[in-house]
Amino acid sequence: MKGHLYKFTLEHLEDPKGNAITAEPVTFEARNHDDIFKILESMKGKMALSDSDAREMAIGIKLFGEVMLRNPENELFQQLRPHFMVFMKGLKKS
């Protein structure tokens, strides 16, 4: 599969009460047809979101969207795809 290859690491730092967590990080690689770093840059100052919220949203959408593209036969994705496409068009216009 062609595309940009990214390595993600997720660390659980603390629980809802602020207690430190010592769980092993989760690391995985994912390919994406888009340059996520360019998208992160373009998200700055959009949609009245903080930079942190914009990064979270952009990365989440890109990871989810790529999985949905790779699995078009999945019934759940088939139901969501038209709505996701409308959302993405609106996001790109903002």
Side-chain angles (χ1 to χ4, degrees):
M1 177 181 182
K2 292 184 180 182
H4 302 269
L5 181 62
Y6 298 95
K7 182 177 184 177
F8 292 89
T9 301
L10 180 66
E11 296 180 56
H12 192 172
L13 301 177
E14 61 182 40
D15 69 15
K17 294 181 180 180
N19 300 312
I21 303 289
T22 57
E24 287 292 315
V26 173
T27 300
F28 63 96
E29 292 181 355
R31 288 205 180 268
N32 198 286
H33 67 277
D34 286 321
D35 183 335
I36 295 175
F37 284 93
K38 283 185 182 178
I39 292 170
L40 293 175
E41 189 63 33
S42 73
M43 289 292 294
K44 287 183 179 177
K46 286 192 175 182
M47 299 176 51
L49 295 174
S50 70
D51 286 347
S52 178
D53 284 348
R55 281 191 302 266
E56 285 181 52
M57 186 183 83
I59 291 170
I61 288 171
K62 291 312 304 172
L63 289 174
F64 176 75
E66 200 72 17
V67 170
M68 191 168 62
L69 286 173
R70 283 195 310 262
N71 296 278
E73 72 287 345
N74 185 298
E75 185 179 332
L76 205 53
F77 294 153
Q78 289 174 355
Q79 294 173 25
L80 180 61
R81 186 179 177 100
H83 307 287
F84 186 79
M85 300 308 288
V86 169
F87 174 81
M88 290 303 294
K89 285 179 185 178
L91 178 60
K92 289 177 182 181
K93 286 182 183 178
S94 66

